[in-house]
């Protein structure tokens, strides 16, 4: 069974904007699917619907076989890690406390959280001793986004949603993060939906690429070679 399944999903915002129209696709477990397309074609809305931050106006979304409309938020946080362009670290919390957010929400004990936080920081290439006690404003953009990835992975969710995670980062750091993320993904094999407006990034990272067009419709969903071959 697919890990993520969208069936006839549509979203019309209260002002009448149709952000997504009749969208259906599956993401098998362990796949990294990139969503590409012009600004305003419904990519972020799609991500927010998978994460239950936005309610679809039609259709159904299943994550690990369960309708997200009927999954309580804590359960969803355990299943889905979310990384966004604006990073969204809590500015008043240390790096450690940021990474510990979901495990704390889940009531893990202190020792388990401590070990997990250190493990996650190492996983994303940050030295826990040097970086763990810093506040977000004491880090570079690239380091902050690494913390964002560590936080999203902390409770070991099967699904990662990444919405333009590297696009606010300078080109050199972005290139490194892309390479490292690709290696990391080979190791951890999450089911990833990755939004980017950068086709090169999608080709580099994606097992498949979903090409959106204006009005929130799916034009094509294929491996990178097929998308390039058109
Ligand atoms: P993308 O991520 O591809 O840039 P979005 O999902 O952000 O696209 O937006 C899709 C469309 O929905 C756009 O026309 C956008 O202006 C509109 N939209 C997004 N959020 C809202 C909202 N809260 N209310 C009304 N319209 C919205
Ligand atoms: P707070 O003061 O809000 O507890 P800390 O940054 O001290 O924030 O700790 C945040 C979380 O990180 C805590 O849940 C704690 O268990 C864990 N933690 C604290 N110290 C360490 C450490 N040296 N290495 C890894 N995790 C730690």
């Amino acid at each position: 069974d697919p890990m993520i399944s969208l069936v006839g999903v549509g979203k019309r915002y209260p002002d009448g904007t149709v952000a997504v129209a009749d969208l259906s696709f599956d993401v098998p477990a362990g796949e990294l699917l990139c969503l590409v397309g012009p600004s305003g074609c419904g990519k972020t809305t799609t991500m927010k619907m998978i994460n239950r931050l936005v309610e679809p106006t039609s259709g159904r979304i299943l994550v690990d076989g369960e309708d997200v409309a009927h999954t309580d938020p804590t359960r969803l946080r355990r299943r889905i890690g979310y990384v966004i362009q604006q990073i969204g670290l809590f500015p008043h919390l240390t790096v450690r406390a940021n990474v510990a957010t979901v495990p704390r929400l889940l009531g893990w004990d202190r020792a388990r959280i401590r070990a997990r936080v250190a493990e996650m920081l190492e996983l994303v290439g940050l030295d826990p001793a040097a970086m763990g006690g810093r506040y977000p404003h004491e880090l570079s953009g690239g380091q902050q986004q690494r913390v964002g990835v560590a936080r999203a992975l902390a409770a070991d969710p099967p699904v990662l949603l990444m919405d333009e995670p590297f696009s606010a980062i300078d080109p050199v750091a972005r290139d490194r993060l892309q390479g490292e993320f690709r290696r990391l993904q080979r190791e951890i094999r999450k089911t990833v939906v990755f939004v980017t407006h950068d086709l090169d990034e999608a080709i580099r990272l994606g097992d498949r690429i979903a090409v959106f067009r204006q009005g929130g419709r799916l034009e094509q969903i294929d491996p990178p070679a097929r998308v390039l071959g058109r």
Side-chain angles (χ1 to χ4, degrees):
D1 284 356
M3 181 62 79
I4 301 171
S5 190
L6 279 74
V7 186
V9 172
K11 177 61 186 181
R12 175 194 289 270
Y13 284 106
D15 69 356
T17 305
V18 176
V20 171
D22 194 25
L23 191 58
S24 298
F25 63 82
D26 287 341
V27 192
E31 179 176 89
L32 195 161
L33 176 69
C34 284
L35 310 186
V36 300
S39 173
C41 67
K43 304 181 299 293
T44 292
T45 299
T46 299
M47 300 290 264
K48 288 182 173 171
M49 290 192 292
I50 297 170
N51 213 8
R52 211 190 163 184
L53 298 172
V54 165
E55 207 73 35
T57 36
S58 58
R60 284 204 317 156
I61 300 175
L62 307 178
V63 172
D64 206 2
E66 204 175 303
D67 191 330
V68 298
H70 307 305
T71 310
D72 78 74
T74 303
R75 197 174 163 80
L76 264 185
R77 294 290 85 79
R78 190 160 45 198
R79 290 186 170 189
I80 302 176
Y82 195 30
V83 182
I84 58 174
Q85 180 183 339
Q86 300 78 5
I87 306 176
L89 299 179
F90 302 115
H92 57 290
L93 294 180
T94 63
V95 164
R96 278 195 293 270
N98 267 283
V99 176
T101 307
V102 175
R104 279 177 168 177
L105 181 74
L106 298 175
W108 292 15
D109 65 57
R110 278 188 73 84
R112 185 176 175 205
I113 291 174
R114 182 180 274 267
R116 184 67 179 174
V117 164
E119 186 191 351
M120 290 300 101
L121 289 176
E122 268 159 22
L123 190 67
V124 299
L126 293 176
D127 175 6
M131 296 292 177
R134 291 200 192 181
Y135 288 86
H137 75 269
E138 298 172 312
L139 304 175
S140 71
Q143 289 170 335
Q144 288 184 38
Q145 198 52 284
R146 288 167 193 269
V147 177
V149 173
R151 182 175 63 178
L153 291 171
D156 200 22
V159 173
L160 260 189
L161 302 181
M162 305 182 77
D163 193 345
E164 306 248 8
F166 307 143
S167 51
I169 292 164
D170 72 82
V172 175
R174 186 192 314 149
D175 186 70
R176 265 192 69 190
L177 278 171
Q178 286 171 353
E180 287 178 23
F181 183 70
R182 198 167 55 166
R183 282 194 293 280
L184 178 64
Q185 167 62 4
R186 272 199 216 108
E187 218 178 286
I188 63 182
R189 280 285 162 200
K190 300 295 182 186
T191 306
V192 185
V193 185
F194 190 110
V195 168
T196 177
H197 62 262
D198 177 358
L199 188 58
D200 290 336
E201 184 172 65
I203 288 162
R204 186 168 180 196
L205 295 179
D207 296 313
R208 283 192 306 160
I209 299 176
V211 182
F212 279 52
R213 59 183 162 88
Q214 218 50 259
R217 292 178 176 281
L218 192 57
E219 184 167 294
Q220 149 179 54
I221 180 165
D222 277 314
R226 286 268 287 280
V227 172
L228 282 174
R230 289 173 6 106

